[in-house]
Amino acid sequence: MNGKTDDWGWFDEALGVGLQLGLKIESVLYRKKTDLQDLVIYQTSDWGRVMALDGIMQVCERDEFIYHEMLTHVPMLAHGSAKEVCIIGGGDGGMLREALRHPVDRVTMAEIDGSVVDLCKTYLPSISNGAFDDPRADLLIADGAQFMAESDRTFDVIIVDSTDPAGPGEVLFSSAFYANCKARLNPGGVMTTQSGVVMIQGGELTTTVRRLGEHFEDAHAYIAAVPTYSGGFMGFGWATDNRELRQHNRDTIAERYSAANLMTRYYNPDLHGGAFALPTYVAECVEAGK
Ligand code: SAM
């Protein structure tokens, strides 16, 4: 870095609580106020390209693998034989890319804003990496809550890759939505959710665990450290009626990991179990929801 401040300045994601993320910007590649949200794609100096929705960091080329690997492979390898997968949200295609690395029959993806898909395909193609062209991918441009309420499909794994609980994403954190997800989950299935940065949005994790617990036997959480979701560990909601899914031993997970021939850069079989070993402040948020 030459230390020179360029003409573009910084993308500052104001997170509230007196903390903000700053990413040095070289250019704005695209900006559009879609019908639903304000979408911006930046070229940064050192973190690749970045997409923000309504001023909130969504995906960053340099570290997106962490979030997408952890929200996909933990439920997929815990389940062990998922054939029907559902992604709610996920417009950048990263979750779809990771889910399709497993021997699934179909991944149904309900994303509310087609502009996000189109623009990420154009400006952030490395994220989806061709996943939208996979014949097993079934992309629906729809409100995920409405899809879950009306669909007759059932799933082995449901992944909620949503924005935060504001604007169009808010409904994806409701008990009614979770009830519909439960109704669409096959016996032994599992659901995971994007549940915010716990140090800043711990109350969201507590509420998610509480609401999931209204419908599932085992409502819990696991974590990952994502540099550009700043503020410490990111929380992921976990929900299933099969308590066994959270107890799998490392050898079982390792066998499934190598059978799937996954080449991951954050997830690994040791980390699978470790992700559920929660720091006390995270465990407190989870227990408050029980
Ligand atoms: N990794 C990001 C995070 O942790 O906040 C999420 C990324 S992904 C781009 C979030 C997606 O959720 C966006 O494409 C947005 O359009 C979509 N979304 C928001 N509300 C939705 C809804 N009700 N139904 C379906 N998709 C929704």
Side-chain angles (χ1 to χ4, degrees):
M1 292 282 283
N2 60 17
K4 178 174 160 309
T5 306
D6 58 42
D7 304 336
W8 286 97
W10 295 73
F11 161 63
D12 290 331
E13 182 194 42
L15 297 165
V17 295
L19 179 71
Q20 72 179 31
L21 166 75
L23 285 174
K24 202 166 182 310
I25 297 301
E26 288 182 342
S27 64
V28 176
L29 297 172
Y30 193 86
R31 164 159 241 154
K32 172 179 183 182
K33 202 152 180 45
T34 76
D35 297 342
L36 294 156
Q37 41 204 354
D38 181 4
L39 185 154
V40 191
I41 296 177
Y42 299 100
Q43 178 64 56
T44 70
S45 58
D46 299 87
W47 290 78
R49 293 183 172 184
V50 158
M51 175 182 65
L53 290 172
D54 293 336
I56 303 294
M57 163 67 76
Q58 297 298 308
V59 67
C60 161
E61 278 186 317
R62 184 165 169 181
D63 69 5
E64 55 85 10
F65 66 92
I66 300 172
Y67 171 83
H68 292 125
E69 287 180 10
M70 288 303 283
L71 204 45
T72 303
H73 302 314
V74 172
M76 291 293 287
L77 293 176
H79 184 283
S81 57
K83 293 298 177 194
E84 289 286 345
V85 177
C86 181
I87 296 168
I88 300 294
D92 50 65
M95 215 62 78
L96 182 63
R97 177 195 77 213
E98 291 302 310
L100 289 168
R101 294 169 70 184
H102 294 265
V104 296
D105 290 344
R106 176 171 59 181
V107 181
T108 303
M109 181 169 151
E111 159 58 54
I112 197 167
D113 192 340
S115 305
V116 175
V117 175
D118 296 340
L119 291 164
C120 287
K121 276 186 191 173
T122 305
Y123 291 101
L124 289 162
S126 67
I127 307 288
S128 56
N129 196 28
F132 289 111
D133 300 325
D134 189 308
R136 297 170 295 162
D138 185 8
L139 172 64
L140 311 168
I141 302 304
D143 175 0
Q146 197 173 347
F147 169 75
M148 272 306 177
E150 296 170 0
S151 174
D152 57 3
R153 289 185 186 176
T154 61
F155 306 102
D156 303 303
V157 171
I158 297 172
I159 300 167
V160 184
D161 177 15
S162 70
T163 44
D164 289 338
E170 189 168 8
V171 69
L172 303 181
F173 292 77
S174 68
S175 185
F177 170 66
Y178 294 148
N180 287 326
C181 289
K182 169 66 183 287
R184 310 254 57 82
L185 207 54
N186 291 326
V190 56
M191 169 177 171
T192 55
T193 70
Q194 183 278 104
S195 288
V197 173
V198 187
M199 181 60 82
I200 299 169
Q201 300 159 292
E204 285 174 30
L205 182 59
T206 299
T207 304
T208 292
V209 170
R210 178 177 304 118
R211 291 176 179 168
L212 288 171
E214 292 167 9
H215 309 288
F216 293 91
E217 287 297 316
D218 185 20
H220 206 71
Y222 62 104
I223 55 174
V226 185
T228 54
Y229 294 155
S230 47
F233 286 113
M234 179 143 208
F236 301 118
W238 171 269
T240 178
D241 283 344
N242 178 358
R243 292 183 181 280
E244 277 300 299
L245 291 189
R246 202 154 47 96
Q247 314 303 332
H248 268 301
N249 69 20
R250 187 218 173 274
D251 294 347
T252 306
I253 297 297
E255 279 159 28
R256 292 174 178 171
Y257 178 76
S258 54
N261 195 28
L262 297 174
M263 308 300 283
T264 49
R265 296 173 56 210
Y266 184 92
Y267 176 92
N268 63 57
D270 292 317
L271 190 75
H272 183 113
F276 290 92
L278 304 178
T280 303
Y281 82 93
V282 177
E284 286 168 348
C285 289
V286 172
E287 291 311 314
K290 299 250 184 181

